[in-house]
Amino acid sequence: MNWTDLNLIPAMPEIVLLVALCVVLLADLWVKDENRFITHILSLLSLAAVAVTQWLVWTPDSVYTFGGMYIADGMSRLSKMVMYAGLFALFVYSKPYNQARNIFKGEFYTLSLFALIGMSVMVSAGHFLTAYIGLELLSLSLYAMIALRRDSAKAAEAALKYFVLGALASGLLLYGISMVYGATGSLEFATVLATAYDGQAQEWLLKLGVVFIVVAVAFKLGAVPFHMWVPDVYQGAPTSVAAFVGSVPKIAAVVFAFRILVTGLGTVQHDWTQMLAILAVASLLVGNLAAIMQTNIKRMFAYSTISHMGFILLAFMAGALGFTAGLYYAIAYVVMGLVGFGVLMLLSNEAVECEEVNDLAGLNQRNAWYAFLMLLAMFSMAGIPPLMGFYAKFAVIKALLSQGYIWLSVFAVVMSLIGAFYYLRVVKVMYFDPAANEQPVGSNAAAKVFLSVNAALLLVWGVMPQSVMDWCLKALENTL
């Protein structure tokens, strides 16, 4: 790399985020527990500063720097803005919950910001090693966050299981990367793609590397049969951490998969689409059928996540139209997940942990607004019009039909109908079951306002989805 030509401007959001993280980390050392809100405010200001920086350096062109290892293009910029907004909302929702659970600590904020740096590096990676470093920074932060409640055996077990399986997946990814290097002599996505197109790559070794890389990507997305960690992590982790694991990192994982599979391994697309088809069908089937049997709502969300990831994997099979639909689906999933987990956090207090479906019984009588917000989240996840989740599924199925995948489209529709059962069961419990606890639900003003806006986006972007689809389409055009 020629250091005299180094351009730091495209990476300025990550630089600002790192500096802000150091400020939060040092400030938190001097903050007492009763003044922990200072860390909270500094973290929110850090996210705002990073978002403004991203906006200021936004350009319509793709920019490569650090010797092609870092890319600032439409897809990375859009996904980062969604991640900043999602984490900002999560910090607001989680404050009362973390205070009630005695985990309102600086570690929650610093680890979240470290994870955000990892995600930012993942979505801007132009090199296999850059992508791997970003992925590991995210993963290590998540391992620690899941075990944040040191007095919880479930949290420790979930963190250990995720760590062991995550280490295995990382090893498989590295093994696959080494094979790609052996086949092409490079780890830069553009060079790998060009070498393969020119017929200079060892095809059998490249395809073998793709197998290991797809397995690692499937693990990070939580696709069947590499989904074993998802239900235990969602159930064992504090709800505020489960909300983080189940929302913002998903869009990073989707863009990460796009970088590796499309911009790096596009020449063997026929091979990885066949693998993704198997993973998608298995994820839709297992995710939806297993979710029906769950009584723990966090565990139900985990299996529904697996089914949603199946839809996103299907989108990867449908070319440019599918990639646009997949990015839209990832954004929709972040919005839906934040609403669902946000309501669970606001319904929990010092005495009650809202994590069973029956804990929502009679919620309409206790707090009609929270019940309505959860109803919007459930209807959207079920794919009921005119909410955002419906258009996300419709866009994926439309893309599949355009490529002739009729049987996959029919299967996806059938699985959506099955999935609607367990989402509607939650609505039935909230509106028609008698309340086990007649006490009114307390509310945090800031969290309630943000959650209401969050839920409103499900309706607005469902009725008028073209604005978000245009963002996704422009981001993709600026990437390919």
Side-chain angles (χ1 to χ4, degrees):
M1 181 170 65
N2 187 352
W3 291 95
T4 59
D5 297 332
L6 182 61
N7 182 11
L8 294 178
I9 298 300
M12 197 54 66
E14 285 75 23
I15 296 172
V16 172
L17 179 57
L18 182 59
V19 173
L21 172 56
C22 292
V23 172
V24 173
L25 193 60
L26 292 173
D28 186 68
L29 293 175
W30 304 98
V31 172
K32 296 181 179 179
D33 284 344
E34 58 267 23
N35 296 324
R36 195 65 65 187
F37 69 92
I38 295 175
T39 304
H40 174 76
I41 293 174
L42 284 175
S43 300
L44 294 178
L45 291 175
S46 299
L47 289 173
V50 176
V52 170
T53 305
Q54 181 68 70
W55 181 263
L56 292 175
V57 301
W58 197 298
T59 61
D61 303 318
S62 298
V63 183
Y64 291 75
T65 187
F66 295 99
M69 299 182 75
Y70 181 96
I71 306 172
D73 56 12
M75 185 165 285
S76 67
R77 295 177 185 120
L78 176 60
S79 58
K80 285 177 190 177
M81 292 300 278
V82 175
M83 291 189 294
Y84 301 153
L87 190 55
F88 190 98
L90 179 65
F91 281 168
V92 175
Y93 301 160
S94 63
K95 181 174 178 285
Y97 176 87
N98 288 345
Q99 287 175 322
R101 290 288 170 273
N102 197 29
I103 52 174
F104 189 51
K105 307 287 185 182
E107 291 87 344
F108 177 81
Y109 295 97
T110 53
L111 288 171
S112 297
L113 293 175
F114 269 121
L116 181 60
I117 293 178
M119 290 185 284
S120 299
V121 172
M122 285 170 62
V123 301
S124 288
H127 195 279
F128 274 105
L129 289 185
T130 314
Y132 179 77
I133 290 171
L135 178 64
E136 286 307 292
L137 184 54
L138 168 64
S139 299
L140 291 172
S141 301
L142 292 182
Y143 301 152
M145 287 182 71
I146 293 166
L148 202 56
R149 290 191 67 178
R150 286 172 286 185
D151 59 338
S152 171
K154 281 186 178 180
E157 179 186 351
L160 184 60
K161 180 175 287 189
Y162 189 25
F163 171 72
V164 172
L165 295 176
L168 176 62
S170 297
L172 291 173
L173 178 61
L174 278 179
Y175 197 46
I177 290 173
S178 69
M179 291 182 178
V180 170
Y181 181 77
T184 63
S186 176
L187 291 177
E188 188 178 345
F189 295 152
T191 306
V192 169
L193 192 66
T195 302
Y197 267 127
D198 293 341
Q200 299 175 3
Q202 296 184 27
E203 188 174 355
W204 66 270
L205 187 58
L206 183 63
K207 291 183 177 181
L208 192 58
V210 167
V211 173
F212 287 96
I213 290 173
V214 168
V215 168
V217 168
F219 176 87
K220 296 304 176 184
L221 287 172
V224 176
F226 312 104
H227 67 291
M228 298 80 70
W229 60 275
V230 181
D232 290 335
V233 166
Y234 277 49
Q235 184 178 9
T239 304
S240 56
V241 177
F244 179 69
V245 175
S247 57
V248 181
K250 298 304 180 187
I251 191 168
V254 170
V255 179
F256 172 79
F258 177 87
R259 294 284 187 209
I260 291 180
L261 298 178
V262 179
T263 63
L265 301 171
T267 55
V268 287
Q269 182 173 354
H270 177 72
D271 298 284
W272 55 253
T273 50
Q274 290 181 326
M275 289 184 276
L276 293 187
I278 297 171
L279 293 171
V281 169
S283 298
L284 286 168
L285 185 64
V286 174
N288 284 305
L289 294 181
I292 292 175
M293 300 180 285
Q294 305 306 314
T295 58
N296 183 291
I297 192 166
K298 288 163 64 177
R299 205 168 179 88
M300 187 200 83
F301 277 161
Y303 282 108
S304 77
T305 297
I306 294 168
S307 68
H308 287 301
M309 292 305 106
F311 258 99
I312 291 177
L313 290 175
L314 287 177
F316 271 77
M317 301 172 56
L321 187 61
F323 302 146
T324 305
L327 185 58
Y328 179 91
Y329 202 115
I331 295 173
Y333 180 77
V334 171
V335 180
M336 294 186 296
L338 286 173
V339 175
F341 278 108
V343 172
L344 294 185
M345 284 188 279
L346 294 180
L347 294 179
S348 302
N349 53 43
E350 293 87 346
V352 177
E353 177 76 30
C354 184
E355 60 178 5
E356 298 292 329
V357 174
N358 290 334
D359 292 336
L360 296 172
L363 180 59
N364 185 51
Q365 288 77 44
R366 298 170 61 203
N367 192 310
W369 185 243
Y370 285 170
F372 176 68
L373 297 182
M374 182 62 94
L375 178 143
L376 288 178
M378 294 297 100
F379 276 11
S380 184
M381 289 184 181
I384 296 176
L387 295 163
M388 196 176 183
F390 164 76
Y391 190 80
K393 293 183 178 182
F394 174 76
V396 172
I397 293 171
K398 181 181 177 182
L400 286 173
L401 289 174
S402 70
Q403 297 296 314
Y405 293 111
I406 298 176
W407 73 271
L408 278 176
S409 303
V410 173
F411 181 78
V413 171
V414 172
M415 289 297 104
S416 294
L417 293 174
I418 293 175
F421 170 80
Y422 54 85
Y423 294 123
L424 296 179
R425 181 181 62 185
V426 174
V427 176
K428 174 258 181 187
V429 168
M430 290 192 300
Y431 281 87
F432 299 106
D433 285 11
N437 183 0
E438 298 293 341
Q439 292 182 349
V441 178
S443 63
N444 178 281
K448 189 174 182 179
V449 170
F450 269 85
L451 192 61
S452 301
V453 173
N454 193 341
L457 291 177
L458 289 176
L459 188 58
V460 173
W461 284 344
V463 175
M464 297 182 292
Q466 201 55 46
S467 58
V468 182
M469 283 297 289
D470 287 343
W471 296 346
C472 297
L473 184 60
K474 289 177 182 177
L476 189 67
E477 290 174 348
N478 187 230
T479 301
L480 293 175

